[in-house]
Amino acid sequence: MRNPDTKAKQLQTLFNKKGFRFEVVGRLMARHPNCPKVYYKRLAAYCPKDLKQNPAYALSMLESGKAVAPQPLQPDSIYADLDNASDSYEMAITDALNRYANDDALLRRVAGSTALNPNEANRLAITDDRHIHNRILREGTPHCSEFVYRLIATTGTPLQRKQLASLKLKREYPQLLRQLTSDKDSSVRQAAGNQATKRGLASAQKPDKTSLRTLGNKAARIDLAKSSSDPDILHMLCEDKVRDVRRALAEHQQVLPLTCLEKLLTDSDNQVVSSAVWILDRMMGSATPPSRDQLQAAISQILENNDFSPSLKSRVLVYCDKAPLLEDMLEQREIRRFAGPKSGSHLLLFNTYLDIQSADKSFWLLQIEEVPAEIIERLATQTQDPASMLKKHIGESHGTSVSSLIYLIKQHPNMLAHCPLQKAIDHANRNSHMDFADALKSEPSLQPFKDFRAQLQNAKDQQLLQQLINQAEQTETI
């Protein structure tokens, strides 16, 4: 930009380059003879003395007989970051802060901006406005001077000091981090201690597990509830009298000791129980699920609690092994609306559901992956017209799962003889994790499928099934 031969287009590119908008760039642009005239009004507002040294601008004034009217950005046009700004944005912010020093909304918007002059950041930090300090501490905000951080460490709220302790501060600020490890607020000490440990400035701190009080204040215990994996601490926190602590525990933990999970499932707070059910779902779906027998008391308490919503009860219903209670729950229409069986549901739930609903209304169960064979058999034999029902089901884009389709081909081929096979397979693949062709390859005998092929009415369906049978036989040969 100091080269007088630099073209206007190249100057414009440099001037608008993100992360390159510093005051010195604006001043150099103002002085350059090839500075585009569209910038004159803005530069006349921010650096008039530099613009007057521009020979092209001076010639323009002589020709027109008047100077360009300054046109600074208005306060409502200035934000923390403005990627499409057409000028040196640092200069715009600095100028606005000088013009509108009492505009609190403006000060809060630009605090922590990537284009804010560091000296202006120091000036902004000298305030009791917590919104400005929050903006400075926000993730993604450029690092400020140690002066700014020490000011917040001294005058900020406990939450702000905890945010400050959690920041990845520059390596040259170790003393500030050590200062925060001795803060009067236990949650700040805990956050600073964790950060100091990560940076090798201190050894790992072990929480005092004597009582809930020794674990720290409410904020400190909420932090522990979100991050701790210590069984002793988890047991203490699930009995915390402060509801927000128990909520944090249920919302942020992926797995819990079974005794802790039982306590949260029987909590008096609906939100805690709802979050605990998500933990239950994850644990039951894991490679080593907990014993269902140990959970029955907690599940029964949820189902029998009139204060809990039908949708919440329906979520735990799949784990209930008590037939009378299960039947009582499914008799309630608002629960039945949410609580249909799903893949992996207990056979008892399938049977109870079918006992209450008619087979015709329950035909959709064939869509469930790995539905028990006993249930498929009941649907195939108890539905009034199973062949017509299945054809309608496939025609309406519902179909079956792969496992249900294979069972029906083997045990009830007449139900499928008049159904479009290609569409039935497409729906089955969509409803299942396993592809029909892959499932066919794992069958111990392909004879039932060959027999079914002979019953098919459509030549294209016969050809399709023959191709799949051939592929499965080739796999056996290999």
Side-chain angles (χ1 to χ4, degrees), residues 295-308:
L295 293 165
Q296 291 309 304
I299 289 170
S300 297
Q301 188 167 327
I302 294 173
L303 294 175
E304 293 169 351
N305 191 325
N306 294 328
D307 293 331
F308 290 151

Side-chain angles (χ1 to χ4, degrees), residues 195-260:
Q195 190 67 18
T197 301
K198 290 178 182 177
R199 288 183 49 181
L201 300 175
S203 56
Q205 295 178 328
K206 294 184 178 180
D208 185 348
K209 297 182 282 188
T210 307
S211 66
L212 281 171
R213 180 176 295 179
T214 59
L215 288 179
N217 59 14
K218 172 184 172 181
R221 299 200 304 278
I222 287 177
D223 288 341
L224 282 173
K226 293 177 179 179
S227 60
S228 180
S229 58
D230 187 316
D232 294 333
I233 292 177
L234 296 176
H235 278 97
M236 294 170 69
L237 294 175
C238 68
E239 294 181 336
D240 200 303
K241 292 182 179 180
V242 179
R243 181 184 60 187
D244 290 344
V245 175
R246 304 196 308 277
R247 285 183 174 180
L249 184 67
E251 288 172 7
H252 292 85
Q253 293 289 335
Q254 296 297 307
V255 295
L256 284 171
L258 192 56
T259 50
C260 289

Side-chain angles (χ1 to χ4, degrees), residues 7-36:
K7 302 298 183 182
K9 189 172 182 179
Q10 190 176 359
L11 288 173
Q12 188 171 355
T13 301
L14 287 170
F15 195 52
N16 292 332
K17 189 174 181 181
K18 186 178 180 181
F20 197 53
R21 299 186 185 121
F22 303 101
E23 186 172 349
V24 64
V25 178
R27 295 185 63 186
L28 288 171
M29 175 64 102
R31 297 183 183 190
H32 204 285
N34 292 331
C35 171

Side-chain angles (χ1 to χ4, degrees), residues 146-147 149-156 161 164-165 169 173-185 188-190 192-193 196 201:
E146 185 173 5
F147 166 80
Y149 292 136
R150 285 197 174 277
L151 193 64
I152 296 175
T154 304
T155 64
R161 299 200 303 276
L164 178 61
L169 297 175
Y173 302 155
Q175 292 304 321
L176 175 57
L177 193 56
R178 289 194 180 99
Q179 175 187 325
L180 292 170
T181 59
S182 302
D183 195 275
K184 59 184 179 182
D185 187 279
V188 178
R189 293 197 302 271
Q190 186 171 282
L201 300 175

Side-chain angles (χ1 to χ4, degrees), residues 76 171 196 276 364:
D76 57 358
R171 292 288 172 178
W364 64 271

Side-chain angles (χ1 to χ4, degrees), residues 272-317:
V272 172
V273 176
S274 181
S275 298
V277 173
W278 288 116
I279 300 177
L280 173 64
D281 288 337
R282 285 193 292 269
M283 292 176 65
M284 293 302 292
S286 67
T288 55
S291 168
R292 293 174 69 106
D293 293 340
Q294 291 179 289
L295 293 165
Q296 291 309 304
I299 289 170
S300 297
Q301 188 167 327
I302 294 173
L303 294 175
E304 293 169 351
N305 191 325
N306 294 328
D307 293 331
F308 290 151
S309 66
S311 60
L312 175 59
K313 291 182 179 182
S314 70
R315 288 168 54 198
V316 299
L317 203 60

